[in-house]
């Protein structure tokens, strides 16, 4: 049966609500974990956390794909949301078992904009790393969605694209498992540089694919795996470094400001690129010239970051 007219609006509203709640949860989760985790194992925790999350992501991806194959679209969505409710209830039960942390220093809501502006303008580790993160996320945030859209334009089936996405999750699992011990023993700048070098190679690979008009399936699968590995290394290093950018008394505010600014800019960058890349009209199509330029800019930005990350001080 055709869905009721309100169902599409309800779906969009639910996605918006999820994003808002996720932002609140992230702002609370990171300072909490930073407060209860010993500094000497913080990197190991976040690397393991990303590996476990990616493993669950693969299982969820396969389960959702099965549901959408076996059930009509809206019925499959209803089942997915039902599973989400069960997962949320289990998550709350697990959160209640975690130890409490000391309450962060309170700050008046009216002073928050001034404090956020001060953090972003004041020279120091916070502003320096924020600049590096904004450059990196602006360049890399669109890599995954744009590549998937390009493959769809090229006529690949949704099942094939989902299989490639599973390879990306496998890369994240491999990265988190591989660095979980080393990340607490070596300077974090090395892991950021490793991730940026990986993004350079990936951008050059997709630039060659666009210019040549295709690539063998094993090469594309390997590229998705490498993308997941580079993202996994970068994310683990990012969450390990973030608590050390400010004194413990102001950690909750600084991490919330950092995450908000980074998320805002990293969200706008793919939208701006998308306006340039997509061909107007209902049919999937992409402008290959600007698309090639996107990968060239991505490669140059990450190559610059490899150099700039040499100046990142160790904050642990």
């Amino acid at each position: 049966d055709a869905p009721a007219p309100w169902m599409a609006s309800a779906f969009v509203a639910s996605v918006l609500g999820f994003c808002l709640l996720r932002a609140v949860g992230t702002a609370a989760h990171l300072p909490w974990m930073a407060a209860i985790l010993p500094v000497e194992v913080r990197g190991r925790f976040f690397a393991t956390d990303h590996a476990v999350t990616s493993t669950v992501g693969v299982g969820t991806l396969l389960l959702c794909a099965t549901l959408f194959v076996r059930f009509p679209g809206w019925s499959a969505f209803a089942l997915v949301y039902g599973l989400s409710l069960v997962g949320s209830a289990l998550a709350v039960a697990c959160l209640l078992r975690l130890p409490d942390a000391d309450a962060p220093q309170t700050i008046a809501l009216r002073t928050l904009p001034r404090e956020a502006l001060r953090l972003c303008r004041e020279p120091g580790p916070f502003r320096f790393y924020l600049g590096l993160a904004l450059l990196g996320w602006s360049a890399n945030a669109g890599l995954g969605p744009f590549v998937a859209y390009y493959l769809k334009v090229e006529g690949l089936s949704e099942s094939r694209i989902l299989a490639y996405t599973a390879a990306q999750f496998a890369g994240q699992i491999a990265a988190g498992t591989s660095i979980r011990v080393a990340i607490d023993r070596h300077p974090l700048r090395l892991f950021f540089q490793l991730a940026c070098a990986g993004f350079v190679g990936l951008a050059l690979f997709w630039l060659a694919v666009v210019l040549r008009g295709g690539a063998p399936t094993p090469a594309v699968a390997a590229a998705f795996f490498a993308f997941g590995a580079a993202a996994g290394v970068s994310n683990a290093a990012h969450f390990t470094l973030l608590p050390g950018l400010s004194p413990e008394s102001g950690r909750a505010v600084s991490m919330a400001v950092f995450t908000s600014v980074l998320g805002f800019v990293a969200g706008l960058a793919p939208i701006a690129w998308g306006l340039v890349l997509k061909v107007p009209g209902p049919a999937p199509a992409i402008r290959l010239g600007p698309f090639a330029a996107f990968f060239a800019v991505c490669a140059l930005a990450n190559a610059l970051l490899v150099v700039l990350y040499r100046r990142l001080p160790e904050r642990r």
Side-chain angles (χ1 to χ4, degrees):
D1 295 337
W6 59 268
M7 293 182 70
S9 299
F11 175 69
V12 174
S14 69
V15 173
L16 176 62
F18 167 78
C19 293
L20 292 174
L21 292 173
R22 186 175 186 272
V24 173
T26 300
H29 169 258
L30 294 178
W32 185 10
M33 292 300 102
I36 65 177
L37 288 171
V39 176
E40 59 271 15
V41 296
R42 188 178 291 161
R44 182 173 184 173
F45 170 83
F46 284 116
T48 306
D49 174 72
H50 282 83
V52 172
T53 304
S54 298
T55 303
V56 176
V58 173
T60 304
L61 183 69
L62 296 175
L63 177 60
C64 291
T66 303
L67 291 176
F68 279 97
V69 168
R70 294 182 175 271
F71 296 93
W74 291 103
S75 298
F77 273 118
L79 289 170
V80 169
Y81 274 77
L83 291 173
S84 298
L85 288 173
V86 175
S88 298
L90 293 174
V92 170
C94 292
L95 287 173
L96 293 175
R97 300 181 63 184
L98 289 175
D100 290 328
D102 294 334
Q105 180 182 2
T106 58
I107 180 171
L109 187 61
R110 65 179 182 277
T111 65
L112 188 56
R114 183 170 66 249
E115 179 66 13
L117 187 61
R118 182 192 68 80
L119 285 168
C120 295
R121 295 179 59 183
E122 186 177 82
F126 182 95
R127 191 179 74 170
F128 178 68
Y129 178 58
L130 178 62
L132 297 184
L134 288 176
L135 176 59
W137 285 56
S138 297
N140 302 327
L143 268 176
F146 290 155
V147 167
Y149 185 77
Y150 169 73
L151 295 178
K152 183 177 180 180
V153 171
E154 290 296 300
L156 269 71
S157 64
E158 293 181 358
S159 59
R160 176 72 64 84
I161 297 175
L162 284 174
Y164 288 146
T165 305
Q168 178 180 323
F169 278 118
Q172 292 176 328
I173 296 168
T177 305
S178 301
I179 68 171
R180 59 190 300 268
V181 175
I183 195 170
D184 288 314
R185 299 180 178 178
H186 302 283
L188 286 174
R189 70 176 73 92
L190 299 178
F191 297 93
F192 284 114
Q193 289 177 307
L194 176 63
C196 290
F199 286 128
V200 170
L202 281 165
L204 294 177
F205 169 81
W206 287 112
L207 177 60
V209 169
V210 172
L211 295 177
R212 293 181 54 187
T217 297
V220 175
F224 271 83
F225 181 89
F227 175 64
V233 172
S234 178
N235 289 336
H238 168 74
F239 286 114
T240 304
L241 174 66
L242 204 53
L245 294 178
S246 62
E248 187 173 352
S249 58
R251 179 182 291 164
V253 173
S254 68
M255 294 176 75
V257 170
F258 193 104
T259 304
S260 300
V261 174
L262 184 60
F264 181 75
V265 175
L268 285 181
I271 295 174
W273 272 109
L275 295 175
V276 176
L277 298 179
K278 189 180 185 305
V279 176
I286 198 166
R287 293 187 176 100
L288 294 182
F291 198 40
F294 164 74
F295 289 118
V297 170
C298 182
L300 289 173
N302 282 282
L304 176 61
L305 284 170
V306 171
V307 178
L308 293 177
Y309 269 118
R310 294 177 59 185
R311 297 168 52 195
L312 183 70
E314 183 64 26
R315 301 297 301 174
R316 293 178 293 180

